[in-house]
């Protein structure tokens, strides 16, 4: 009898642990659906072979709060009529350029609109490397499909504490 | 996927940290990703500022529009624009609600069915213009171009009125009217000084400001300009602080900020002014030198026929002794003595009158009486006095040759000027306008253009004007919104809102320096609308080459450039600029103004549009000859101009004879006889004896002409001073309320001989006991979702009375009964 | 043993009857109450969905019925534990049939009252913020702590004296034996167990009184910690406690009279109980008046303008009717009814108790609303009209209370059976002994 | 550390109400429906009080703009159960909308009635959403909000100053009301900076604070010649 | 009466009772942890920690006393009858 009780309770513990785990996994994985971009952009090739830097395309990284994702206006500076490679992705891009249609990039990094986050503040004034939050993007051959680093308040504050910069609410909340 | 294991762990810990709702628990982050993408800003957020001119009212303040990625999001005053110096009024701040208003007319509309049916069909610009042009060509072909009328509701001097006038003249119609009262309001100055312009007052240098009902901080032509001046007056040290005395029936914004508020019975301002004149004369507090050398008709005088005429002095001394005036006005005799002595003893003191003084049947005479106090004080051409501003050196529109049809049309008598003896000094009288059109007298009107202003909402004779609009076969409205007036239109050609269009304004009335403001688009037109000015050019091209010749411009923008080019060539003044950060006062006193450096007109134009305007703060000292363009060349207490007008009227009625004179004066409703008619005098306002209370309306900064009613922000702020929102109220003195058993915030009926309205009562100690007041601006029956059905329009119960001389609506001439609504 | 048991059953059968006999009345009552509660729940869900706009609260009057009811219900909760603890502590023998009833009121009403601040929240979805990011500096958190403590203490205090009765129910058998078995904690009625239980109850008794007093003081702190006129008062603590006990006794009397009637407990709840309790009510009424009087006296005497605004508003403003009816309900009626023997019947006492409960609710209203309606700045006064949502949640809360009580009486004896038994068997002797010890005479030497 | 404060010169202020409008526009303050305003739920971060004084006919009216007073000893933050309202080292009393649970205790505790509550979800016509200020987040139903001294402007100004490696200049950080006051009656600046206009004016003999006796030490200082 | 069935039922009920007691302890400890957490937050944010500490000084012991009383009663009840249980159950 006692054994049975014990087994029962064991079962209960296991079951509840499993449920908790499932919930956690569901929240963690479910929270970022894998995002596929319309064009599988190759950061690595642009940085290593075209010798571009981040600022060349993410124009406002050093001067504005929002870095912006480059679109055809910037792409077409290099990719005009002739394809440079035999990549099918470039063909897609050229089609967008030809039709004058914006590439519907999906944003994967963004802060909620009640947060004031400034790239200028972090990149230019704070001199934080892009890779701190965006990871080793120059090594990526295709765009990341979910954010490397979630802009949660915990993450922001822990980093701010680490760097001994203000974590006053009004510094970010607006 | 080349995400390292370590990174993945980091990611996991980050996310689960959020799940675990740690110390700073921000639970909202759990559902972030989808929300993030949705909320993410679309562009980089690049901020640009554009200077333009506010079009919410006629004050023409310079504003700066903050645009983020091209979309206007905020407005502030243009700190360098001289009229408002960075200041703004609440209504200006709601301009974006005009631009983005959901009730805008988004394309040309053609009415379906009967007028006022509210059913519209869209029509292409081309069809609409062709339709109108065909009608106009037809009229010209039968030689009746004068049967086209244009009613322009803007009260703003600028290029647009010249543009329309040019068009109408070339087309051949004398019937272009500005329904604003700007021109009518100059009547007293025309009579006393022969000047067709409103004076400016040098308040900054005066030590005593006596204002007769002039609510210059709220209802004036440029409240923000006066607010700036007020602020500088109050900024000065305690010693020698300027005193402001406000005579008004209720505590208006100006009265609230004055040092002293003197309650007065509506319509008796003239009597009070003359009572003050009595004291000034009796106590010899007037400017002897000025009176002796530069005035006419102060003392009794004899004309070349040897007839002795009554002088101002004798008239005042015999009729306006303080006790008598006190009985008329309700102002205690001691108060009259006190303000008169203060006025006479302060150097320098200035007297101004508006709103309360002029909004009555005796408005012109009252304002003459008020202005004559300035003459007694010798306030012309001196610091702290009255002066008149020069016009900017702008190019007139190019001359053109009007063809025969046009010449014939222009020779016809304008339809809005009275055919009998009513309103002899009216430039535009809505009373005559409606009566004459309804009677086809002297000819019918076939086409009516309406531009700005919503006249139907503001007129006293609402019914007649509506009938007029119904009667006219083709009514074309340029309104960007469907207003009460454009409900009666047959075609609506939606204008841009002022944030999308080009325009040019100059010299806001009563502002004390010459200036030009450029209005320019801050955003591409949101809808298929067109600038009314461009539409007129297009129309002129469609009608006839001779009409088109009058407006030889590609677009209105070019026209502005053309007109401004002379400004550049003149070398006068300067484009407004930052640079000098000294106070405004110093600005004005700065006489040695330097001219900006620009090498070409293009540079000038670029700078002008970037900075938003041009001004010339230097006031040329004028000699009295320029100030007094009267027959005598002096300030005429006894207005010979008026005498001439009356004589002319008598002639048209059948020649000089006492009977004819009596007939003319009678039809003008002038009660006095003899020389008094031509002197500033008090005319009693005809009122009903059986009604116990005076009824007046007033305007608020939040909604000066009822034009802000379609802006939710202004509707909400409408009565911020009494905490009434989206609603009208009636101000009642607590003692009066007690007498009628009325409580605060209870609805009351206000009953006049015309009709009755139900309004919420608000007890307010700041109103005369025998006066009740309802703000103007609400009570729309049209004008979009935010305007329709909120509040009450007090105009609807006003009697159909007008100023006997200049035809302005008499807003304070009605008496009413009130009772608690159950 | 068995003989004894049957004997007791015979005597106290009336106390067991409601548990074993379920009439139509029970189902009807529960059905109606459930319907009311469901409606209230619907209204609450609606409020969460649309926002607090569905209530009648507005700009200066930012707190309305919910906070009034919160204070009121917490006040009522003082009926129980405090009274029963005091009576137990003072060894008042007449307490025996009353204590359970009083304690049940406390437990149920506290739970309801404690929920009211959550109902009042604009963002109930963020209520967890209190736990993740709370600030103990806020009197609201003091409330959370002290109400939790009081709720725990009073539930324990209700539960422990119930154990012997639960054991009795267990021994009687029936469908719920296992449930009673679980709850009886292995009570066998041994001497050791009795000793343990008595000791625990004695400790609790002492503990519960300060907790109860502190809870209502802390509730008053919500108001008196702000700077608002009419709230910022030092006597608010005791004033609230007195008011709470006052309303608590009245509520207890109402419950007693109701159950006496419904369960035919005339043999247990005798007139003497009501007279004792109503005397207590009378005293509290006088005390309440004293506190009210001194509260307003200090305000009027000091005549600080804002304070006077609020006081005059209470006396003459739109809420004056509530103020004066509060005085009538809380002071004039109870004093008249309870001072004269002629009126001091069960009916009279019921009447007075009902007016007191209403009056105390009005008192809470008069504390919360007028202060808020009269902002210090020149903004004009505000008005507050509760909406249907607030009314239905109020009625719902009362329904929850009644339902809770009805259900409790369905599962547990409403009068402590073992204590009655104990009273019959031992207390007469004990009281005699005790009274003797009070009486003047030669000091007893320890024998 | 600067201490931001506002000085309102009541002698200069005419009560035109522009500060109210500028504030509404800048801060996306919701415009509630007319029915709601009737119930007293109108939202103004900058409100206007009318004070009547004297007996007819010697009546005086003074209109007083009333923002949040950003007290140095704020009664509201003491009672907040969740750190949603707090005072930061620069003296700004912040309101964190996403933390607020909507208990409205701060509103009840504020002697200045400076806070407003979102009784319903704030709504805008679709067209008006285009021109909302992206610098200020929208509030949701059930939270308290109030004047922030336009703290979002400070974020930008600070960043500009840091980027140029300098201190914030006097007059660089201005709330919308102060910026557009037509009477120049609203001054804003750093109380700790002895050179600032605000510091000088706060020492003026005309200076007074609302409800000074409460010890809340408001950082909105009024100037008026006391008559 | 089936004694084995009875005792097994007793066992289950006994575990349930034990569980409820431990739940109460978990509750009390959770409250204590919560209050301590709030203190640490207020210290962290420099937010008048004195008040928090004062309240926790009062509140935590109260909860612990309550839990202790319950435990005392539960243990007290069973201590006495332990011998009986042992006798009947054997094992």
């Amino acid at each position: 009898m006692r054994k049975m009780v014990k087994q029962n309770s064991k079962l209960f513990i296991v079951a509840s642990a499993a449920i908790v785990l499932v919930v956690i996994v569901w929240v963690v994985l479910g929270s970022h659906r894998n995002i596929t971009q319309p064009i599988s952009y190759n950061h690595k090739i642009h940085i290593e072979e075209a010798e571009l830097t981040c600022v060349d395309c993410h124009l406002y990284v050093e001067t504005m709060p929002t870095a912006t994702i480059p679109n055809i206006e910037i792409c077409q500076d290099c990719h005009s009529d002739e394809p440079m490679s035999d990549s099918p992705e470039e063909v897609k891009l050229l089609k967008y350029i030809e039709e004058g249609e914006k590439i519907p990039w999906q944003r994967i990094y963004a802060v909620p609109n009640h947060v004031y986050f400034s790239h200028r503040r972090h990149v230019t004034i704070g001199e934080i490397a892009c890779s701190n939050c965006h990871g080793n993007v120059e090594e990526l051959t295709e765009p990341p499909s979910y954010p490397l680093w979630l802009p949660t308040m915990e993450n922001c504050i822990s980093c701010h504490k680490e760097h001994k910069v203000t974590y006053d609410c009004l510094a970010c909340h607006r | 996927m080349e995400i390292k294991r370590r990174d993945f762990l980091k990611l996991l810990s980050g996310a689960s940290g959020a799940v675990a709702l740690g110390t700073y628990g921000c639970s909202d982050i759990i559902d972030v990703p989808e929300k993030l993408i949705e909320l993410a800003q679309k562009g980089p957020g690049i901020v640009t500022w554009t200077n333009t001119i506010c079009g919410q009212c006629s004050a023409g303040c310079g504003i700066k529009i903050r645009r983020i990625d091209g979309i206007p999001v905020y407005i502030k005053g243009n700190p360098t624009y001289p009229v408002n110096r960075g200041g703004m009024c609440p209504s200006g701040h709601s301009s974006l609600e005009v631009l983005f208003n959901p009730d805008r007319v988004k394309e040309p509309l053609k009415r379906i069915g009967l007028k006022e049916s509210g059913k519209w069909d869209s029509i292409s610009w081309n069809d609409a213009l062709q339709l109108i042009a065909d009608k106009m060509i037809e009229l010209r072909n039968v030689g009746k171009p004068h049967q086209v009328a244009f009613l322009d509701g803007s009260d703003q001097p600028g290029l647009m009125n010249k543009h329309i006038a040019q068009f109408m003249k070339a087309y051949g119609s004398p019937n272009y009217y500005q329904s604003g009262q700007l021109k009518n309001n100059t009547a007293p100055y025309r009579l006393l000084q022969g000047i067709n312009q409103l004076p400016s007052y040098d308040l900054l240098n005066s030590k005593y400001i006596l204002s007769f009902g002039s609510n210059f901080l709220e209802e004036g032509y440029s409240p923000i300009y006066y607010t700036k001046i007020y602020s500088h007056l109050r900024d000065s040290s305690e010693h020698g602080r300027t005193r402001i005395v406000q005579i008004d029936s209720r505590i208006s914004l100006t009265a609230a900020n004055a040092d002293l508020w003197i309650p007065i019975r509506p319509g008796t301002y003239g009597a009070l002014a003359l009572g003050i004149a009595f004291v000034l004369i009796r106590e010899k507090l007037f400017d002897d030198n000025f009176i002796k050398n530069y005035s006419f008709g102060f003392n009794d005088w004899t004309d070349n026929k040897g007839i002795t005429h009554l002088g101002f002095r004798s008239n005042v001394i015999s009729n306006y002794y303080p006790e008598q005036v006190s009985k008329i006005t309700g102002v205690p005799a001691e108060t009259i003595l006190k303000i008169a002595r203060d006025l006479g003893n302060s150097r320098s003191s200035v007297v101004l009158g508006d709103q309360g003084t002029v909004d009555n049947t005796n408005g012109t005479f009252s304002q003459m009486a008020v202005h004559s106090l300035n003459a007694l004080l010798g306030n012309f051409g001196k610091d702290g006095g009255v002066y008149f501003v020069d016009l900017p050196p702008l190019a007139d529109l190019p001359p053109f040759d009007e063809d025969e049809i046009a010449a014939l049309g222009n020779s016809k008598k304008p339809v809005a000027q009275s055919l009998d003896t009513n309103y002899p000094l009216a430039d535009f009288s809505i009373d005559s306008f409606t009566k004459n059109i309804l009677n086809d007298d002297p000819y019918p009107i076939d086409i009516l253009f309406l531009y700005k202003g919503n006249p139907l909402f503001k007129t006293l004779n609402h019914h007649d004007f509506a009938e007029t609009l119904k009667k006219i076969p083709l009514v074309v409205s340029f309104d960007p919104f469907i207003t009460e007036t454009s409900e009666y239109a047959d075609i609506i050609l939606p204008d841009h809102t002022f944030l999308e269009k080009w325009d040019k304004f100059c010299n806001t009335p009563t502002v004390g320096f010459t200036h030009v403001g450029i209005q320019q688009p801050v955003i591409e037109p949101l809808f298929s609308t067109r600038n009314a000015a461009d539409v007129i050019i297009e129309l002129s091209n469609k009608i006839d080459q001779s009409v088109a010749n009058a407006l030889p411009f590609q677009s209105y923008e070019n026209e502005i450039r053309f007109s401004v080019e002379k400004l550049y060539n003149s070398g006068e003044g300067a484009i407004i600029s930052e640079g000098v950060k000294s106070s405004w006062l110093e600005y004005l006193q700065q006489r040695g103004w330097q001219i900006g450096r620009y090498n070409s007109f293009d540079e000038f134009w670029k700078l002008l549009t970037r900075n938003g305007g041009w001004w010339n703060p230097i006031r040329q000292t004028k000699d009295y000859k320029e100030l007094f363009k009267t027959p005598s060349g002096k300030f005429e207490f006894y207005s010979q101009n008026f005498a001439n007008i009356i004589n002319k009227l008598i002639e048209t009625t059948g020649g000089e004879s006492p009977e004819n004179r009596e007939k003319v004066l009678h039809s003008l409703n002038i009660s006095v006889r003899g020389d008094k008619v031509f002197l500033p005098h008090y005319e009693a306002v005809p009122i009903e004896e059986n009604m116990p209370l005076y009824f007046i309306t007033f305007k608020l900064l939040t909604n000066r002409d009822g034009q802000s009613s379609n802006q939710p922000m202004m509707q909400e702020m409408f009565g911020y001073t009494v905490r009434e929102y989206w609603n009208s109220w009636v101000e009642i003195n607590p003692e009066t309320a007690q007498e009628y058993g009325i409580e605060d915030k209870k609805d009351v009926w206000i009953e006049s001989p015309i009709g009755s309205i139900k309004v919420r009562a608000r007890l307010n100690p700041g109103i005369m006991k025998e006066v009740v007041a309802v703000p103007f601006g609400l009570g729309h029956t049209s004008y979009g979702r935010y305007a329709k059905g909120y509040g009450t329009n007090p105009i609807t119960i006003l009697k159909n009375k007008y100023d006997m001389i200049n035809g302005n609506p008499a807003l304070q001439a009605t008496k009413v009964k009130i009772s608690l609504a159950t | 043993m068995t003989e004894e048991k049957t004997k007791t059953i015979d005597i106290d059968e009336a106390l067991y009857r409601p548990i074993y006999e379920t009439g139509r009345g029970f189902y009807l009552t529960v059905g109606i109450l459930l319907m009311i509660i469901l409606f209230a729940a619907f209204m609450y869900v609606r409020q969460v969905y649309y926002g607090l706009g569905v209530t009648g609260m507005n700009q200066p009057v930012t707190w309305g019925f919910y906070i009034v009811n919160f204070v009121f219900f917490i006040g009522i909760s003082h009926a129980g534990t405090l009274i029963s603890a005091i009576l137990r502590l003072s060894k008042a023998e007449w307490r025996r049939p009353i204590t359970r009833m009083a304690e049940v009121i406390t437990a149920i009403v506290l739970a309801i009252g404690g929920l009211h601040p959550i109902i009042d929240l604009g963002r109930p979805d963020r209520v967890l913020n209190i736990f993740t990011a709370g600030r103990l500096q806020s009197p609201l958190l003091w409330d959370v702590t002290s109400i939790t403590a009081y709720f725990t203490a009073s539930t324990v205090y209700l539960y422990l004296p119930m154990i012997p009765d639960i054991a009795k129910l267990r021994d009687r058998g029936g469908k719920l034996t296992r449930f009673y078995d679980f709850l009886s904690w292995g009570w066998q009625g041994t001497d050791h167990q009795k000793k343990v239980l008595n000791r625990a109850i004695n400790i609790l008794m002492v503990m519960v009184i300060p907790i109860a007093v502190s809870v209502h003081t802390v509730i008053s702190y919500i108001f008196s910690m702000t700077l608002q006129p009419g709230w910022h008062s030092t006597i608010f603590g005791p004033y609230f406690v007195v008011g709470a006990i006052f309303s608590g006794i009245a509520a207890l009397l109402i419950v007693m009279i109701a159950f006496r009637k419904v369960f035919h407990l005339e043999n247990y709840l005798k007139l003497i109980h009501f007279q004792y309790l109503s005397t207590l009510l009378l005293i509290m009424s006088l005390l309440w008046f004293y506190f009210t009087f001194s509260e307003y006296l200090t305000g009027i005497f000091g005549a600080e303008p804002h304070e006077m605004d609020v006081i005059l508003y209470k006396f003459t403003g739109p809420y004056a009717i509530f103020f004066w009816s509060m005085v009538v309900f809380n002071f004039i009626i109870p004093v008249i009814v309870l001072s004269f023997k002629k009126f001091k019947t069960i009916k009279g006492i019921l009447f007075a108790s009902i007016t007191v409960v209403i009056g105390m609710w009005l008192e809470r209203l008069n504390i919360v609303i007028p202060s808020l309606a009269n902002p210090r700045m020149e903004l004009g006064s505000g008005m507050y009209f509760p909406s249907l949502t607030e009314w239905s949640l109020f009625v719902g809360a009362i329904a929850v209370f009644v339902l809770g009580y009805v259900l409790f009486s369905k599962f547990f004896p409403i009068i402590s059976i073992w204590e009655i038994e104990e009273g019959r068997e031992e207390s007469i002797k004990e009281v005699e002994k005790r009274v003797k010890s009070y009486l003047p005479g030669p000091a007893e030497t320890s024998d | 550390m600067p201490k931001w404060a506002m000085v309102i010169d009541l002698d200069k202020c005419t009560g035109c109400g522009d500060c109210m409008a500028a504030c509404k526009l800048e801060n996306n303050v919701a415009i509630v429906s007319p029915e709601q305003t009737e119930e007293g739920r109108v939202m103004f971060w900058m409100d206007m009080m009318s004070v009547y004084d004297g007996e007819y006919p010697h009546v005086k009216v003074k209109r007083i703009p009333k923002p949040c007073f950003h007290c140095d000893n704020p009664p509201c933050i003491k009672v907040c159960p969740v750190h949603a309202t707090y005072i930061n080292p620069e003296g700004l009393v912040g309101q964190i909308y996403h933390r607020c649970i909507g208990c409205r205790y701060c509103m009840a505790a504020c002697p200045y009635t400076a806070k407003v509550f979102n009784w319903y979800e704030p709504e805008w016509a679709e067209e008006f959403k285009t021109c909302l200020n992206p610098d200020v987040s929208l509030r949701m139903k059930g939270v308290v909000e109030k004047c922030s001294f336009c703290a979002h402007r400070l974020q930008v100004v600070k960043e500009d100053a840091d980027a140029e490696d300098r201190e914030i200049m006097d007059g660089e950080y201005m709330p919308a009301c102060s910026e557009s006051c037509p009477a120049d009656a609203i001054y804003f600046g750093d109380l700790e900076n002895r050179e600032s206009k605000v510091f000088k004016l706060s020492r003026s003999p005309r200076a007074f604070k609302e409800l000074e006796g409460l010890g809340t030490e408001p950082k909105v200082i009024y100037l008026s010649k006391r008559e | 009466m089936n004694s084995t069935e009875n005792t097994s039922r007793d066992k289950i009920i006994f575990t349930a009772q034990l569980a409820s007691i431990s739940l109460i302890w978990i509750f009390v400890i959770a409250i204590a942890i919560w209050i301590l957490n709030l203190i640490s937050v207020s210290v962290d944010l420099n937010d008048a920690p004195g008040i928090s500490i004062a309240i926790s000084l009062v509140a935590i012991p109260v909860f612990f006393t309550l839990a202790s009383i319950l435990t005392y009663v539960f243990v007290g009840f069973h201590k006495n009858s332990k011998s009986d249980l042992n006798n009947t159950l054997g094992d």
Side-chain angles (χ1 to χ4, degrees), chain A residues 20 25 47 56 71 94 118 129 132 134 148 160 162 164:
Chain A
V20 168
V25 166
I47 288 163
D56 289 336
N71 215 311
L94 289 175
S118 166
N132 260 33
H134 295 285
L148 171 74
H160 273 231
E162 210 173 283
K164 296 206 168 51

Side-chain angles (χ1 to χ4, degrees), chain D residues 79-191:
Chain D
V79 299
C80 178
V82 289
H83 292 284
T85 182
Y86 81 109
I87 183 162
N88 87 350
E90 301 185 15
L92 298 174
V93 177
Q95 181 82 31
I96 310 301
Y97 316 116
H98 284 253
R99 169 61 57 82
C100 178
I101 57 172
C103 67
R104 307 185 302 296
Y105 198 175
C106 52
M107 296 174 76
C110 175
Y112 303 104
T113 335
K115 299 200 165 192
V116 289
F117 186 71
N118 288 280
W119 298 98
Y120 286 115
E121 190 80 36
E123 276 169 13
W124 283 269
E126 209 48 51
E127 287 85 347
F128 291 148
K129 282 185 187 158
T130 324
C131 61
L132 290 173
N133 186 357
D135 291 351
V136 182
S137 66
L138 303 183
R139 277 74 64 184
M140 58 297 283
K141 72 169 181 234
V143 300
V144 174
E145 60 182 68
K146 68 166 191 80
C147 156
S148 61
F149 269 178
C150 289
H152 57 280
R153 293 189 175 200
L154 179 60
Q155 289 166 346
V156 178
V157 165
K158 257 190 192 159
E159 195 178 306
D160 286 345
D162 284 353
E164 289 162 32
D165 202 17
R166 58 171 170 82
E167 294 290 306
I168 298 172
M169 295 179 290
D170 192 26
E172 194 178 358
Y173 164 37
M174 286 252 252
C177 52
S178 160
E179 182 181 75
S180 59
C181 175
D184 299 320
I186 306 180
Y187 303 90
F188 191 83
D190 179 7
L191 263 193

Side-chain angles (χ1 to χ4, degrees), chain E residues 26-54:
Chain E
I26 289 171
F27 169 68
V28 167
I29 289 168
I31 284 183
I33 291 174
W34 171 56
I35 291 176
L36 292 175
N37 169 45
L38 295 190
I39 293 173
S40 79
V41 172
S42 72
V43 169
D44 196 15
L45 296 177
N46 221 350
D47 192 21
I51 301 170
S52 331
I53 291 166

Side-chain angles (χ1 to χ4, degrees), chain A:
Chain A
M1 263 310 119
R2 204 175 256 178
K3 228 175 194 173
M4 224 178 96
V5 172
K6 230 177 198 169
Q7 273 177 350
N8 276 347
S9 59
K10 220 176 194 174
L11 202 77
F12 174 73
I13 289 167
V14 168
S16 52
I19 289 169
V20 168
L21 206 75
V22 164
V23 166
I24 287 176
V25 166
W26 176 69
V27 169
V28 169
L29 297 181
S31 61
H32 25 76
R33 320 161 290 165
N34 280 358
I35 293 166
T36 22
Q37 301 288 5
I39 296 174
S40 175
Y41 178 82
N42 187 338
H43 274 97
K44 191 173 177 177
I45 223 162
H46 284 85
I47 288 163
E48 286 180 359
E49 289 179 25
E51 291 180 349
L52 292 170
T53 58
C54 307
V55 193
D56 289 336
C57 301
H58 299 283
L59 282 183
Y60 301 99
V61 148
E62 288 174 342
T63 50
M64 300 292 292
T66 317
T68 66
I69 305 169
N71 215 311
I72 48 168
E73 307 87 59
I74 291 164
C75 302
Q76 69 191 3
D77 285 352
C78 305
H79 299 269
S80 36
D81 308 322
E82 293 292 306
M84 293 183 197
S85 63
D86 46 6
S87 160
E89 300 301 319
E90 198 189 348
V91 178
K92 282 193 213 165
L93 170 70
L94 289 175
K95 198 173 164 225
Y96 277 114
I97 291 174
E98 198 182 323
E99 289 172 5
E101 206 178 294
K102 295 248 169 175
I103 308 164
W105 295 120
Q106 302 260 358
R107 254 182 101 153
I108 61 169
Y109 285 97
V111 288
N113 83 337
H114 62 272
V115 175
Y116 177 70
F117 175 86
S118 166
H119 274 92
R120 174 165 76 149
R121 164 71 79 191
H122 287 83
V123 176
T124 315
I125 304 169
E127 292 178 347
I128 291 170
C130 306
S131 57
N132 260 33
C133 308
H134 295 285
N136 213 354
V137 176
E138 55 249 56
E139 294 297 320
L140 292 181
T141 50
E142 52 186 63
S145 62
Y146 55 87
L148 171 74
W149 187 89
L150 266 186
T152 62
M153 198 163 85
E154 276 74 20
N155 291 345
C156 292
I157 284 183
S158 71
C159 189
H160 273 231
K161 275 185 176 166
E162 210 173 283
H163 288 84
K164 296 206 168 51
V165 286
T166 178
Y167 50 96
D168 180 46
C169 311
L170 283 182
C172 305
H173 278 266
R174 61 186 187 185

Side-chain angles (χ1 to χ4, degrees), chain B residues 24 66 72 74 76 88-89 93 100 228 230-231 234 241 256-257 259 716-717 720-721 723 760 764 768, chain D residues 11 14-18 24 32 38 47-48 50 52 56 60 99 127 135 176 179 182-184 225:
Chain B
Y24 299 95
R66 181 178 189 229
Y74 181 68
K76 68 174 181 181
M88 277 193 83
C89 74
H93 267 121
F100 290 104
K228 282 272 164 207
Y230 171 85
S231 136
R234 289 305 192 229
R241 187 170 175 271
N257 291 296
D259 295 283
E716 181 169 293
M717 269 188 68
Y720 67 92
T721 50
R723 311 189 80 74
R760 180 175 301 176
N764 187 341
M768 235 195 153
Chain D
D11 291 341
T14 65
C16 69
D18 180 51
K24 280 217 116 155
V32 300
E38 279 299 296
D47 208 336
M48 187 74 76
S50 297
Y52 288 85
Y56 178 86
K60 285 228 158 236
R99 169 61 57 82
E127 287 85 347
D135 291 351
E179 182 181 75
D184 299 320
K225 54 169 179 39

Side-chain angles (χ1 to χ4, degrees), chain C residues 30-42:
Chain C
V30 171
I32 292 171
L33 290 172
L34 275 178
M35 265 157 73
I36 295 174
I37 292 164
L38 269 178
F39 181 70
F42 165 73

Side-chain angles (χ1 to χ4, degrees), chain B residues 517-529:
Chain B
I518 302 289
Q519 194 172 73
Q520 56 180 319
V522 299
I523 187 169
E524 289 294 305
L526 295 178
F527 305 111
S528 169
T529 56

